[in-house]
Amino acid sequence: MKYLIPYLKKYKKESILAPLFKMLEACFDLIVPLIVADLIDVGIAGRDTHYILTHFGLLLVMALLGLTCSFTAQYFAARAATGTSAGLRHELLDKIQSLSLTEFDQTGAATLITRMTSDVNQVQNGLNMTLRLFMRSPFIVFGAMIMAFTIDVKAALVFVVTIPLLSVVVFGIMLVSIPLYKKVQSALDKVLGITRENLTGSRVNRAFNKEEDEIKDFNNSNDALTKIQLYVGKISALMNPLTYVIINGAVVVLVWTGAIRVNSGCITQGEVVALVNYMSQILVELIKLANLIININKSIACGNRIQAIFELQPSITDHAVTPVAEEKTEHSGEVPEVVFSHVGLTYAGAGEESLTDIDFTVKKGETVGIIGGTGSGKSSVGNLIPRFYDATKGSVQIGGKDVREYSLEELRGKIGMVLQKAVLFKGTIRENMLWGNENATDEDIMQALEVAQAKEFVDKKEGGLDFEIEQGGKNLSGGQRQRMTIARAVVKKPDI
């Protein structure tokens, strides 16, 4: 969880004030049983109405002060937790954007989505609860025990036995449940992966009448997730009954011991009530602490998964270009030639090469088509030019320079690409075209649409270039989407 420290540093004030206000609230809570004891022993025993009303008012003041401190602590804790998780998401997105397609292939989009959403939310909840309760609960537990010793040493010995027993239960369950929560998140990844596949491939499922098979696969994964969640839930559920049994047993012993001590004149009735109140406070705080530990376990499991993404090293590194190098690579209208020099490509985890000894040159002004059966490596050849993947053997050169020596921005700035799957983004036609060239004029866009044979249907759309495209281009036909992506590449006026 050390990766959270840089984000928390921005919220130093909130991270300090939240626990401090919780400690103040705890102090007020610890004073209350003493006021109640005094109220019983003096006010009620002496039938002093004024004394009773005065102490009742004092209890109300304590309650209001405690409530104010609680709200203030909650505000600062929520501010620190939400701000930290926001920074974490930004950083995580930057990291994901820096990864190459090889890491995407190995990790899987479903896992990355889970870590960006569910895992970060879990870390946020854990951090929020930690700032509010991590110091308060132990402070109340040990504070109540110390206060009990100030009342009566012999009666307080019950606390000395009870607290270690409770600690064994709480931390024992914690140690068992931590690894199980990691398995829960992995099972959740699998369910999300199947869901994503079904959503993106819904047409294929229907075309091949595979709905029942997909439902069966989803149910199997969902059942596996449910089973492990139930198992870890049963273990975590032991926390409350076991702690209640110990605490209630301790209360019985305390009342019995207190009765004997009252009868012998060692302590008063009010002090017995105070001791029982302190024991009840310990019960409440340990239940809170137990729930906090469960949430921290989940947060640590999720945090470790997020950390695993941060620790991923991209297989394709970007080379920054110095001003001198930029001067050398600039070209005035000249289209650089593309050279494949004995290129081989083996995908990560694959047993055999997908491309072997590819050797050819494409000169200025030439158009090359690559023909081959499915899986023969046509797309792989195209993907090597903009460095979506790096050649494992040989080299790919543009303008006499290895593509690995260019910065990614400069390299990809030379290339216009139309992918097999036409991807359009939510927004107007103009906004989608400007992805190719943000400085393009409407005239440039219309010219590109004409080249791509898309102008005819764009002119018929309501608003023309201001026509709103839905996410993924769902309100366009497949052919229209393809022509729009061709136009987007043409607008760029790339060298290649």
Side-chain angles (χ1 to χ4, degrees):
M1 299 288 281
K2 60 184 179 181
Y3 65 90
L4 282 178
I5 294 170
Y7 308 103
L8 266 175
K9 280 182 179 176
K10 297 176 184 175
Y11 298 92
K12 279 182 185 176
K13 181 182 76 175
E14 289 84 351
S15 299
I16 294 168
L17 288 175
L20 278 179
F21 275 99
K22 271 295 173 183
M23 296 278 277
L24 271 175
E25 183 198 355
C27 290
F28 293 129
D29 286 349
L30 288 172
I31 294 169
V32 166
L34 294 179
I35 297 171
V36 172
D38 200 32
L39 181 65
I40 293 168
D41 292 337
V42 179
I44 295 174
R47 296 184 180 182
D48 187 339
T49 306
H50 177 72
Y51 197 88
I52 292 168
L53 290 174
T54 304
H55 276 60
F56 180 70
L58 187 58
L59 288 173
L60 284 177
V61 170
M62 288 291 174
L64 286 171
L65 287 171
L67 187 65
T68 304
C69 289
S70 179
F71 278 134
T72 308
Q74 176 59 60
Y75 169 77
F76 285 123
R79 186 175 169 82
T82 52
T84 299
S85 65
L88 187 59
R89 281 195 191 92
H90 281 298
E91 197 74 24
L92 191 56
L93 180 63
D94 289 345
K95 179 65 182 183
I96 290 170
Q97 294 282 34
S98 74
L99 299 176
S100 69
L101 294 183
T102 301
E103 284 73 58
F104 274 87
D105 295 340
Q106 290 174 321
T107 309
T111 299
L112 294 173
I113 292 168
T114 306
R115 298 185 195 197
M116 177 73 79
T117 52
S118 173
D119 287 354
V120 173
N121 285 340
Q122 197 65 60
V123 169
Q124 177 181 322
N125 292 336
L127 183 59
N128 192 345
M129 290 191 71
T130 300
L131 290 173
R132 288 191 294 122
L133 299 175
F134 195 69
M135 287 183 71
R136 175 199 155 88
S137 293
F139 181 79
I140 287 278
V141 170
F142 291 105
M145 186 173 71
I146 291 164
M147 296 300 281
F149 270 100
T150 63
I151 294 170
D152 185 62
V153 174
K154 285 189 178 179
L157 291 174
V158 178
F159 289 77
V160 177
V161 177
T162 305
I163 291 172
L165 278 175
L166 288 168
S167 300
V168 168
V169 170
V170 169
F171 289 103
I173 290 173
M174 180 188 75
L175 290 172
V176 173
S177 59
I178 284 177
L180 291 173
Y181 281 118
K182 291 179 183 177
K183 290 183 179 179
V184 168
Q185 289 302 120
S186 298
L188 180 64
D189 278 349
K190 194 171 182 183
V191 170
L192 185 64
I194 292 172
T195 306
R196 186 173 179 275
E197 284 174 2
N198 280 310
L199 290 173
T200 55
S202 57
R203 290 190 182 187
V204 178
N205 287 336
R206 288 170 185 169
F208 287 91
N209 197 26
K210 288 287 184 182
E211 291 98 322
E212 291 300 322
D213 292 341
E214 290 300 322
I215 290 169
K216 196 180 292 182
D217 285 346
F218 177 82
N219 286 340
N220 289 337
S221 297
N222 196 31
D223 288 344
L225 174 61
T226 305
K227 281 178 184 175
I228 192 168
Q229 280 182 323
L230 285 172
Y231 181 62
V232 71
K234 285 175 183 175
I235 292 172
S236 298
L238 288 171
M239 188 87 76
N240 284 7
L242 287 175
T243 50
Y244 270 108
V245 166
I246 294 168
I247 284 288
N248 287 328
V251 167
V252 171
V253 174
L254 191 60
V255 171
W256 179 67
T257 307
I260 294 170
R261 302 284 290 167
V262 168
N263 197 41
S264 62
C266 296
I267 59 174
T268 64
Q269 290 175 344
E271 287 173 333
V272 173
V273 172
L275 287 169
V276 172
N277 280 339
Y278 282 129
M279 186 61 77
S280 299
Q281 282 186 354
I282 288 173
L283 169 63
V284 171
E285 290 306 321
L286 279 169
I287 296 299
K288 286 182 184 176
L289 186 61
N291 291 328
L292 170 63
I293 288 168
I294 289 169
N295 274 283
I296 287 175
N297 290 344
K298 291 179 182 177
S299 300
I300 289 171
C302 294
N304 289 338
R305 286 157 49 81
I306 294 168
Q307 181 68 18
I309 300 300
F310 282 123
E311 287 173 357
L312 275 178
Q313 294 301 320
S315 55
I316 293 177
T317 51
D318 193 0
H319 294 281
V321 180
T322 60
V324 177
E326 278 178 6
E327 256 178 47
K328 288 179 183 176
T329 54
E330 278 177 7
H331 50 83
S332 47
E334 245 184 66
V335 180
E337 65 177 17
V338 178
V339 178
F340 275 65
S341 178
H342 303 288
V343 169
L345 173 64
T346 306
Y347 287 106
E352 297 179 0
E353 283 189 327
S354 298
L355 298 174
T356 304
D357 199 31
I358 304 297
D359 195 78
F360 66 90
T361 300
V362 185
K363 295 183 179 177
K364 172 184 172 180
E366 288 185 340
T367 302
V368 173
I370 302 172
I371 301 169
T374 303
S376 59
K378 303 183 297 297
S379 300
S380 298
V381 172
N383 285 333
L384 291 174
I385 300 171
R387 285 194 76 199
F388 290 159
Y389 296 91
D390 269 341
T392 48
K393 287 181 184 176
S395 65
V396 180
Q397 298 171 16
I398 292 179
K401 184 177 175 181
D402 195 307
V403 292
R404 284 170 282 208
E405 295 175 17
Y406 287 98
S407 72
L408 291 176
E409 186 178 355
E410 184 191 7
L411 174 66
R412 291 170 185 172
K414 297 175 180 291
I415 300 163
M417 212 163 181
V418 184
L419 304 175
Q420 286 171 285
K421 183 182 178 182
V423 177
L424 295 171
F425 298 92
K426 182 177 172 61
T428 63
I429 291 175
R430 181 185 288 103
E431 286 168 348
N432 270 273
M433 292 300 104
L434 291 176
W435 273 66
N437 177 7
E438 60 183 14
N439 299 316
T441 62
D442 284 2
E443 189 180 337
D444 293 331
I445 293 170
M446 294 308 292
Q447 189 180 354
L449 289 168
E450 194 168 348
V451 170
Q453 299 181 17
K455 186 175 182 297
E456 185 182 347
F457 79 80
V458 170
D459 286 339
K460 291 177 183 177
K461 296 289 183 187
E462 187 179 346
L465 292 177
D466 293 316
F467 175 74
E468 193 77 20
I469 296 174
E470 291 181 10
Q471 186 178 355
K474 290 177 183 176
N475 54 342
L476 299 176
S477 71
Q480 288 173 339
R481 286 199 297 270
Q482 193 69 69
R483 282 180 277 170
M484 291 285 286
T485 56
I486 293 169
R488 183 171 60 195
V490 172
V491 163
K492 191 177 181 180
K493 298 179 181 176
D495 293 338
I496 301 164

